[in-house]
């Protein structure tokens, strides 16, 4: 597993600095006019620059679903909307990311990707009180603004001249207390018809996933195929230790079998989950309920599905012993899934196939993992 983590990190670094076709776009300079756009939003409407002509101040925030920094600032953006909506300030958000360019190992802090459908889910679940616009197909508008990271704020005056570009504030953690409220200060200055004292700041967050980064996402699939897949025999004591979970990680355990169609069909969903969160304090463990003499068949299935996880097969023909060991409440039907916190607390158990989206949400919302740094 350590080898996999190192290879994943190296691949990201090599990709960031090595591929020549990764796009970079200059950031809009202070004093520039606001670029026009015509983009669809999660509320089903189309918005252009003219849609907000009545606003005295226009705040454009480039953000996205998957980035932990972007998620950390969502509630503060909503708070700014509430505070200034009656003062002539319009705040909108644009996602500049090409969803195909987001690697799974970049999604360790989220349950949702950056597709338009995922944006609609995010906006609804978190009750966004601002238009959330999608620019992931062409990125034409985003390239004109040139955001450096998500989130990146651009603030325009009533004549739609850029007066501020940069961060929201200087503290990422939602529970932290910022010392510098740069976005708010810029809004206040423009509402008072005063110059913005600090017109430009650096931004901290996830790099924009321009369409040119699709090669990195494609390379990820090539790397998965190279990862070793193994299947070890596990005894009664080994299963008890898995459930005690002294790993310090959130542990997802899936019990499956080659003869169970739904089991095999959902294994790819588990592989996706593993690839998203395995660089965090998380691990996936599979346990085959096949008879010990079917080990080769089980291993062949795991290899076909590129299951480079911790994989075990119970060393006994006694299926009922396996059931009692895993969970006395389990009635015996496969597949069966458990989510075990460090030190053994079971926080999820399901007989039958899982809902992959629900499982991602449960994992990333667990304190052992979390959505922010």
């Amino acid at each position: 597993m350590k080898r996999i983590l190192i290879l994943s990190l190296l691949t990201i670094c090599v990709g960031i600095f090595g591929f020549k076709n990764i796009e970079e776009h200059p950031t809009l300079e202070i004093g520039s006019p606001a670029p026009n756009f015509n983009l669809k939003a999660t509320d089903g409407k189309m918005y252009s620059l003219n849609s907000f002509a009545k606003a005295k101040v226009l705040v454009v925030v480039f953000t996205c679903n998957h980035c932990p920094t972007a998620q950390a600032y969502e509630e503060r953006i909503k708070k700014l909307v509430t505070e200034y909506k009656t003062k002539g300030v319009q705040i909108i958000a644009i996602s500049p990311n090409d969803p195909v360019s987001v690697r799974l190992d970049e999604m360790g802090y989220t349950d949702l990707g950056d597709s338009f459908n995922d944006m609609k889910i995010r906006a609804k679940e978190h009750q966004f009180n601002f238009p959330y616009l999608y620019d992931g197909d062409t990125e034409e508008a985003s390239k004109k603004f040139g955001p450096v990271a998500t989130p990146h704020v651009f603030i325009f005056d009533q004549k739609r001249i850029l007066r501020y570009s940069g961060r929201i504030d200087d503290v990422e953690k939602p529970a932290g207390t910022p010392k510098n409220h740069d976005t708010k200060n810029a809004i206040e200055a423009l509402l008072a018809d005063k110059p913005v004292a600090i017109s430009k700041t650096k931004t901290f967050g996830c790099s924009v996933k321009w369409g040119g980064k699709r090669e990195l996402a494609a390379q990820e699939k090539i790397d998965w195929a190279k990862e070793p897949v193994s299947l070890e025999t596990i005894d009664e004591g080994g299963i008890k230790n898995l459930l005690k979970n002294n790993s310090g990680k959130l542990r997802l355990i899936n019990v499956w079998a080659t003869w169970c169609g739904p089991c095999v069909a959902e294994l790819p969903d588990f592989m996706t989950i593993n690839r998203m969160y395995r660089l965090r304090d998380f691990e996936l463990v599979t346990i085959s309920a096949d008879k010990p003499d079917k080990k080769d068949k089980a291993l062949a299935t795991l290899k076909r599905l590129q299951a480079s996880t911790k994989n075990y097969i119970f060393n006994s023909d006694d299926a009922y012993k396996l059931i009692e060991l895993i969970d006395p409440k389990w009635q015996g039907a496969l597949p069966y899934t458990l989510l075990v916190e460090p030190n053994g607390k079971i926080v999820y158990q399901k007989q039958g196939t899982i809902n992959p989206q629900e499982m991602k949400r449960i994992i990333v919302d667990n304190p052992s993992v979390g959505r922010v740094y």
Side-chain angles (χ1 to χ4, degrees), residues 26 31 68 113 119 129 155 162 201 225 239 268 283 291 299 301 324 343:
M119 287 173 58
N129 56 359
I155 303 180
L162 183 63
T201 65
I239 290 178
E283 70 173 359
K291 303 298 183 184
L299 178 58
T301 300
E324 292 302 315
N343 300 319

Side-chain angles (χ1 to χ4, degrees), residues 129-142:
N129 56 359
F130 50 85
Y132 190 20
L133 284 58
Y134 175 68
D135 193 27
D137 288 343
T138 67
E139 300 177 318
E140 289 182 6
S142 301

Side-chain angles (χ1 to χ4, degrees), residues 139-262:
E139 300 177 318
E140 289 182 6
S142 301
K143 291 172 183 177
K144 296 174 183 177
F145 284 83
V148 173
T150 51
H152 190 154
V153 180
F154 295 82
I155 303 180
F156 299 89
D157 63 17
Q158 195 161 17
K159 295 180 179 179
R160 295 303 176 260
I161 301 300
L162 183 63
R163 298 304 181 191
Y164 173 79
S165 171
R167 65 193 181 189
I168 295 174
D169 57 45
D170 60 351
V171 175
E172 177 188 5
K173 283 188 175 295
T177 302
K179 295 180 180 179
N180 298 289
H181 299 268
D182 305 278
T183 288
K184 186 173 183 179
N185 292 341
I187 293 172
E188 291 285 355
L190 293 175
L191 288 176
D193 294 321
K194 296 180 179 180
V196 176
I198 299 176
S199 61
K200 190 174 182 179
T201 65
K202 295 180 179 180
T203 60
F204 176 81
C206 302
S207 63
V208 175
K209 302 304 180 283
W210 302 111
K213 294 183 178 181
R214 287 190 175 193
E215 189 174 348
L216 294 178
Q219 181 63 42
E220 187 178 42
K221 295 180 181 179
I222 296 172
D223 295 337
W224 294 338
K226 297 177 183 178
E227 294 175 358
V229 177
S230 61
L231 179 61
E232 300 178 25
T233 300
I234 191 169
D235 59 14
E236 184 175 337
I239 290 178
K240 289 180 179 178
N241 285 332
L242 284 179
L243 293 170
K244 288 179 181 177
N245 192 12
N246 294 321
S247 67
K249 299 180 179 182
L250 186 65
R251 177 175 284 162
L252 182 62
I253 301 175
N254 174 246
V255 188
W256 69 288
T258 56
W259 45 262
C260 167

Side-chain angles (χ1 to χ4, degrees), residues 114-133:
D114 288 342
S115 70
F116 183 59
N117 284 336
D118 283 353
M119 287 173 58
K120 289 193 288 186
I121 294 171
R122 186 75 179 168
K124 182 178 180 180
E125 287 183 347
H126 291 263
Q127 300 180 332
F128 285 177
N129 56 359
F130 50 85
Y132 190 20
L133 284 58

Side-chain angles (χ1 to χ4, degrees), residues 68-111:
T69 311
Q71 292 180 79
Y73 276 104
E74 285 175 350
E75 291 302 315
R76 274 171 279 184
I77 295 171
K78 289 166 60 178
K79 186 176 180 181
L80 285 170
V81 172
T82 300
E83 185 173 354
Y84 289 104
K85 65 181 179 181
T86 61
K87 299 179 181 180
V89 177
Q90 176 66 57
I91 298 176
I92 68 171
I94 300 176
S95 176
N97 288 346
D98 168 29
V100 180
S101 295
V102 183
R103 293 166 54 102
L104 284 183
D105 58 14
E106 294 175 307
M107 294 176 62
Y109 291 82
T110 184
D111 57 321

Side-chain angles (χ1 to χ4, degrees), residues 245-296:
N245 192 12
N246 294 321
S247 67
K249 299 180 179 182
L250 186 65
R251 177 175 284 162
L252 182 62
I253 301 175
N254 174 246
V255 188
W256 69 288
T258 56
W259 45 262
C260 167
C263 297
V264 177
E266 75 167 353
L267 274 174
D269 291 325
F270 282 102
M271 296 308 108
T272 295
I273 289 170
N274 180 58
R275 288 160 183 159
M276 286 175 65
Y277 304 116
R278 64 183 179 178
L279 299 183
R280 307 291 310 284
D281 288 329
F282 169 87
E283 70 173 359
L284 171 65
V285 174
T286 76
I287 301 175
S288 172
D290 287 283
K291 303 298 183 184
D293 62 356
K294 301 297 182 182
K295 182 178 179 180
D296 289 345

